[in-house]
């Protein structure tokens, strides 16, 4: 992707970006947790390089890279959100929409075993469609059910995968 | 020649009616999913993994070959008609091809992309046919220390070339490496980073990571900043076809693009982005109509698109001969091999020749099928672009769920998928490239095992990496590829502020 905005000149001290700071600190925390986890791994026996060595390299590396990121953030570096297909780089980010999708996904996941694959994924389908601005709700519910049903039949009958039938057991 | 004979045997495998059917299904599904906006070739292959779950390995890989090339063909349709490159190597096609389409030359743009891809894919596959066995023969002798060094080279070049900042690429890589550590250590049997969950003893499936970071992350990100205006899809009248003049102007760029793309795909240098840009610059220099570039010059589609597909064939050389993926898509193919208990590498040519050669033969077949599918059927694929976004992204999410759930029939994996989706969102929001993380997840465990084998063979002497000449040479390359870009950047900055920014 081409960078549309010129990066700030190093001479001017850019204001500190708090979200970027949180990311840099988050990576340092991740590195710390990895290191703590590494120290819990027992030394291997009969091995020249035990199961601890690689995790040690990865966790120390993560800590170092996190520190470098922290330095660059403190010097005013600010991450540009990626330019993706279908996304508008100038739009105001609206975190409610991903929230709706995540909530729908988690509800669908919890319903997957008791109610079955069709109803569970229909909930997920509905929540994504709703978050993307579809407001013809009866249509969305209908498409959600049809897509979930067709997917279920295609994968279980056509490809022999086993997906939970749930309440539709015996019907399908 | 040995290669010719092996290839003929491969054709014998690939040309059975049933395998032809799998190949056809693969190219059709690959094109179908590849055309959908938001889905690049890597995700296409990952999403379609469950479709092959019940197939015998040979048929599965024949189908994968079709999906792999089909995803590339499909992506160019989206780039040209919708101006949305599915991955960085399609940027040029989108840039120049969409301008052509806007000038009413969509049919010619699609045709030169499809035929160019066919020419490049076929030549690239031919080069693969003859290069691969020769390299595999040499590769058998490569010691573990040098294999470890090669993986380091892939790590560094891939992290440094994807996205703007090497630091962010490396962080993404280390995140992937950390994910790859989760699970039981194969050599000692120790559980690592399982947090007490028995589900994590087998490690985290790469499919969950790939689909979470790519598909779910993308869905969440796009939802957060949705384009309110309707995407402008360019109508396509009739088939994809070219005039005599278009042919005259296209054939040389096709060949030059192929010549650039193949070697770049074959070395671990971060995929197809560089050769497509090089090809574009080259065609602009050589063209008799440089003024058309940027406004829809056919050479600017023909060359880069050929380079893109030639590099896709080139990527298979290190993948099949060394087990070294140099792009995200190749990394997923590697993991698909591993799911079948196969380790791509020089030995594969000895242990499973029917599989390797069946796969290579089906690349030729898939290419022909794709040409037949894409020229006359272009209007049908174009219509896929009209699927309303709410229904499209909802469908992608349901498909992701099937793919991840069917791995282990486990709801636990779906929670992991949601977590990786949120991380994928964060990576897009904070400009971390996703590909290095994928490469880290898949190659991290391989790197560890080569490292440990190497040190075991040398009885714990770590200097084996610098004393073994090939390993030392490759590790030197690793260092240089980390340092040189930084030096160049610093010099460019010193040379003139306000001058064209490096990177």
């Amino acid at each position: 992707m081409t960078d549309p905005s010129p990066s700030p000149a190093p001479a001017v001290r850019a204001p500190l970006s708090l979200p970027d700071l949180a990311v840099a600190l988050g990576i340092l925390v991740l590195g710390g947790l990895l290191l703590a986890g590494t120290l819990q791994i027992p030394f291997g026996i009969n091995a020249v390089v035990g199961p601890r060595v690689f995790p040690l390299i990865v966790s120390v590396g993560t800590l170092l890279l996190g520190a470098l990121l922290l330095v660059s953030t403190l010097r005013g570096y600010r991450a540009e959100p990626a330019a993706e297909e279908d996304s508008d780089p100038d739009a105001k980010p609206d975190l409610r929409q991903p929230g709706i999708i995540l909530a729908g996904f988690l509800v669908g996941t919890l319903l997957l075993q008791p109610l079955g694959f069709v109803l569970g994924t229909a909930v997920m389908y509905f929540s994504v469609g709703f978050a993307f601005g579809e407001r013809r709700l009866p249509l969305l519910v209908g498409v959600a059910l049809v897509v979930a049903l067709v997917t279920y039949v295609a994968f279980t009958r056509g490809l022999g995968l086993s997906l939970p039938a749930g309440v539709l057991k015996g019907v399908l | 020649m040995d290669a010719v004979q092996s290839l003929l045997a491969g054709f014998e495998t690939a040309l059975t009616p049933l395998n032809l059917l799998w190949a056809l299904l693969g190219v059709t599904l690959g094109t179908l999913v590849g055309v959908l906006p938001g889905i690049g070739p890597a995700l296409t292959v990952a999403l379609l993994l469950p479709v092959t779950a019940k197939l015998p390995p040979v048929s599965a890989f024949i189908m994968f070959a079709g999906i792999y090339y089909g995803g590339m063909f499909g992506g160019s349709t989206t780039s040209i008609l919708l101006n949305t490159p599915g991955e960085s190597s399609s940027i040029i096609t989108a840039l120049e091809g969409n301008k052509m389409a806007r000038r009413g030359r969509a049919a010619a743009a699609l045709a030169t992309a499809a035929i160019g891809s066919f020419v490049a894919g076929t030549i690239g596959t031919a080069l693969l046919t003859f290069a691969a066995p020769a390299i595999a023969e040499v590769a058998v002798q490569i010691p573990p220390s040098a294999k470890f060094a090669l993986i380091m080279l892939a790590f560094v070049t891939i992290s440094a070339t994807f996205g703007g900042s090497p630091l962010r690429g490396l962080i993404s890589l280390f995140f992937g490496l950390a994910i790859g550590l989760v699970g039981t250590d194969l050599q000692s049997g120790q559980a690592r980073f399982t947090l007490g969950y028995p589900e994590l003893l087998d490690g985290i499936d790469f499919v969950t990571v790939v689909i979470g970071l790519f598909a779910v992350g993308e869905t969440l990100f796009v939802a957060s900043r949705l384009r309110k205006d309707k995407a402008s899809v360019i109508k396509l009248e009739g088939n994809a076809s070219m005039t005599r003049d278009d042919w005259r102007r296209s054939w040389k760029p096709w060949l030059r693009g192929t010549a650039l793309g193949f070697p770049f795909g074959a070395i671990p240098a971060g995929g197809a982005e560089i050769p497509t840009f090089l090809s574009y610059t080259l065609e602009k220099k050589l063209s008799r109509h440089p003024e058309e570039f940027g406004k829809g010059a056919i050479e600017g589609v023909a060359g880069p698109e050929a380079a893109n597909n030639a590099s896709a064939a080139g990527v298979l050389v290190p993948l099949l001969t060394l087990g070294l993926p140099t792009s995200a898509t190749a990394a997923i193919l590697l993991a698909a091999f591993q799911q079948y208990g196969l380790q791509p590498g020089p030995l594969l040519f000895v242990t499973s020749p029917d599989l390797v050669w069946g796969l290579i033969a089906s690349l030729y077949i898939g290419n022909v099928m794709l040409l037949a599918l894409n020229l006359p059927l272009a209007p049908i694929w174009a219509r896929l672009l009209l699927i309303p976004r709410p229904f499209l992204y909802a469908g992608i999410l349901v498909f992701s769920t099937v793919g991840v759930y069917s791995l282990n029939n486990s709801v636990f994996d779906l929670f992991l998928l949601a977590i990786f989706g949120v991380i994928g969102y964060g990576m897009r929001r904070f400009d971390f490239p996703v590909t290095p993380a994928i490469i880290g997840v898949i190659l991290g465990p391989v790197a560890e095992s080569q490292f440990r084998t190497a040190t075991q063979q040398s009885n714990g002497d770590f200097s084996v990496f610098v004393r073994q000449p090939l390993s030392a040479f490759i590790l030197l390359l690793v260092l240089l590829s980390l340092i040189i870009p930084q030096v160049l950047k610093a010099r460019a900055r010193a040379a003139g502020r306000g001058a064209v920014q490096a990177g």
Side-chain angles (χ1 to χ4, degrees):
Chain A
M1 297 288 138
T2 47
D3 192 350
S5 63
S7 59
V12 187
R13 212 177 174 81
L16 186 62
S17 155
L18 288 180
D20 280 289
L21 187 65
V23 170
L25 292 175
I27 289 163
L28 280 171
V29 169
L30 176 73
L33 290 176
L34 282 172
L35 190 61
T38 302
L39 298 178
Q40 284 175 14
I41 301 169
F43 288 99
I45 31 165
N46 287 336
V48 179
V49 175
R52 259 185 174 193
V53 174
F54 240 64
L56 196 65
I57 296 171
V58 173
S59 47
V60 171
T62 308
L63 281 170
L64 280 177
L65 292 169
L68 284 174
L69 188 68
L70 184 67
V71 169
S72 95
T73 308
L74 290 175
R75 291 169 69 187
Y77 185 89
R78 198 176 266 272
E80 288 286 327
E84 293 287 327
E85 301 180 1
D86 286 336
S87 77
D88 181 354
D90 303 323
K92 234 179 137 200
D94 181 356
L95 286 179
R96 272 175 312 166
Q97 308 313 330
I100 292 172
I101 296 174
L102 267 183
F105 184 82
L106 293 177
V107 170
T109 301
L110 290 171
L111 294 179
L112 206 66
Q113 298 283 10
L115 289 187
F117 178 86
V118 175
L119 293 177
T121 51
V123 172
M124 297 178 188
Y125 192 99
F126 181 88
S127 68
V128 179
F130 188 82
F132 273 81
E134 181 57 62
R135 287 296 176 270
R136 292 167 290 176
L137 299 186
L139 175 74
L140 190 54
V141 171
V143 174
L145 286 171
V146 170
V147 169
L149 194 67
V150 169
T151 314
Y152 179 83
V153 172
F155 276 87
T156 51
R157 296 289 154 76
L159 295 169
L161 297 182
S162 69
L163 300 170
V167 290
L168 294 173
K169 200 170 198 158
V171 183
L172 284 174
Chain B
M1 277 293 281
D2 253 6
V4 177
Q5 254 174 25
S6 312
L7 183 65
L8 287 178
F11 270 110
E12 233 168 87
T13 315
L15 282 175
T16 59
L18 202 60
N19 280 340
L20 275 177
L21 201 69
W22 293 125
L24 183 65
L25 192 65
V27 292
T28 313
L29 283 175
T31 314
L32 187 93
V33 180
V35 168
L36 297 177
I39 306 187
L43 186 55
T44 306
V45 179
L47 274 179
L48 291 174
L49 263 176
V51 178
T52 62
K54 297 277 161 167
L55 292 180
V58 176
S59 310
F61 283 105
I62 284 176
M63 194 166 160
F64 267 134
I67 294 171
Y68 181 54
Y69 276 3
M72 310 274 310
F73 270 72
S76 59
T77 306
T78 321
S79 304
I80 290 168
L81 295 180
L82 196 61
N83 195 20
T84 56
E87 51 160 12
S88 49
S89 56
S90 305
I91 291 173
I92 299 291
T93 313
L95 186 84
E96 207 65 34
N98 189 256
K99 295 262 166 55
M100 271 183 82
R102 276 180 206 289
R103 280 175 28 195
R105 306 229 50 225
L110 286 172
T112 198
I115 301 170
S117 298
F118 168 77
V119 170
T122 305
I123 297 175
T125 310
L127 291 174
L128 166 74
T129 306
F130 294 102
I135 294 175
E137 218 157 279
V138 180
V140 185
Q141 333 243 344
I142 296 180
S145 60
K147 275 188 195 146
F148 172 77
L150 263 178
I151 295 174
M152 290 300 114
L153 185 62
F155 278 164
V156 167
T157 50
I158 284 164
S159 312
T161 48
F162 278 90
S165 140
L167 173 61
R168 279 158 191 275
L170 284 172
I171 290 176
S172 172
L173 171 72
F174 270 76
F175 171 67
L177 290 176
I179 300 302
L181 288 174
V182 174
T184 310
D185 171 40
L186 286 179
Q187 291 192 15
S188 66
Q190 300 291 351
R192 298 193 295 194
F193 302 105
T194 55
L195 310 172
Y197 289 101
E199 289 93 339
L200 289 179
L201 282 174
D202 282 341
I204 297 175
D205 253 296
F206 78 95
V207 176
T208 314
V209 185
V210 171
I211 295 184
L213 292 183
F214 274 118
V216 182
E218 167 119 340
T219 305
L220 296 174
F221 184 76
V222 174
S224 74
R225 39 190 87 209
L226 193 59
R227 193 183 286 279
K228 290 290 186 289
D229 51 332
K230 277 255 163 66
S232 62
V233 180
I234 292 158
K235 277 250 177 64
L236 175 66
E237 314 277 351
N239 300 341
S241 60
M242 306 196 329
T243 64
R244 184 183 289 263
D245 188 49
D246 291 334
W247 278 96
R248 195 181 51 72
R249 288 177 60 177
S250 288
W251 71 271
K252 278 188 204 152
W254 289 337
L255 295 181
R256 285 192 288 257
T258 308
L260 279 173
F262 187 82
F264 268 96
I267 56 172
E273 199 175 327
I274 299 165
T276 52
F277 278 94
L278 282 179
S279 162
Y280 186 70
T281 322
L282 180 70
E283 294 311 329
K284 194 171 172 180
K285 275 218 179 96
L286 294 176
S287 170
R288 263 181 279 165
H289 317 270
E291 74 287 352
E292 276 185 32
F293 277 75
K295 294 180 198 125
I298 193 163
E299 294 92 339
V301 182
E305 198 50 36
N308 191 3
N309 270 57
S311 89
V315 156
L316 294 174
V317 175
L319 178 70
L320 292 177
T321 58
L322 300 170
L324 193 69
T326 54
S327 74
T329 322
I332 293 164
L333 284 173
L334 171 73
F337 272 97
Q338 288 169 344
Q339 281 203 327
Y340 280 93
L342 298 162
Q343 186 60 46
L347 286 177
L348 201 63
F349 282 84
V350 184
T351 53
S352 326
D354 52 332
L355 195 145
V356 182
W357 290 105
L359 177 80
I360 293 175
S362 72
L363 289 170
Y364 289 98
I365 299 169
N367 244 315
V368 177
M369 286 177 171
L370 279 165
L371 193 63
L373 269 181
N374 275 271
L375 290 179
L377 297 183
I380 295 179
W381 303 123
R383 215 166 295 160
L384 283 174
L385 299 176
L386 299 173
I387 299 176
R389 290 301 172 267
F391 296 100
L392 175 70
Y393 281 92
I396 291 174
L397 194 80
V398 167
F399 235 76
S400 309
T401 309
V402 179
V404 170
Y405 181 82
S406 62
L407 287 175
N408 305 312
N409 286 351
S410 140
V411 168
F412 183 86
D413 286 355
L414 290 182
F415 287 115
L416 280 182
L417 178 69
I419 294 172
F420 283 112
V422 173
I423 295 171
Y425 169 87
M427 291 177 85
R428 283 169 178 76
R429 163 64 185 83
F430 292 101
D431 200 21
F432 291 97
V434 174
T435 303
I438 303 296
I439 300 271
V441 172
I442 293 170
L443 272 191
V446 184
E448 178 175 11
S449 105
Q450 298 290 359
F451 180 77
R452 285 159 81 168
T453 314
T455 46
Q456 241 142 35
Q457 283 178 1
S458 69
N459 284 321
D461 182 5
F462 286 91
S463 68
V464 61
F465 295 105
V466 279
R467 274 192 295 112
Q468 208 286 325
L470 185 58
S471 323
F473 173 69
I474 300 170
L475 285 177
L476 185 70
L477 286 182
V478 172
L479 265 180
L480 289 179
S481 56
L482 266 179
I483 297 167
I484 288 178
Q486 300 305 318
V487 174
L488 289 179
K489 237 181 231 177
R491 277 180 62 183
R493 215 174 293 152
R497 279 186 196 186
V500 185
Q501 202 164 351

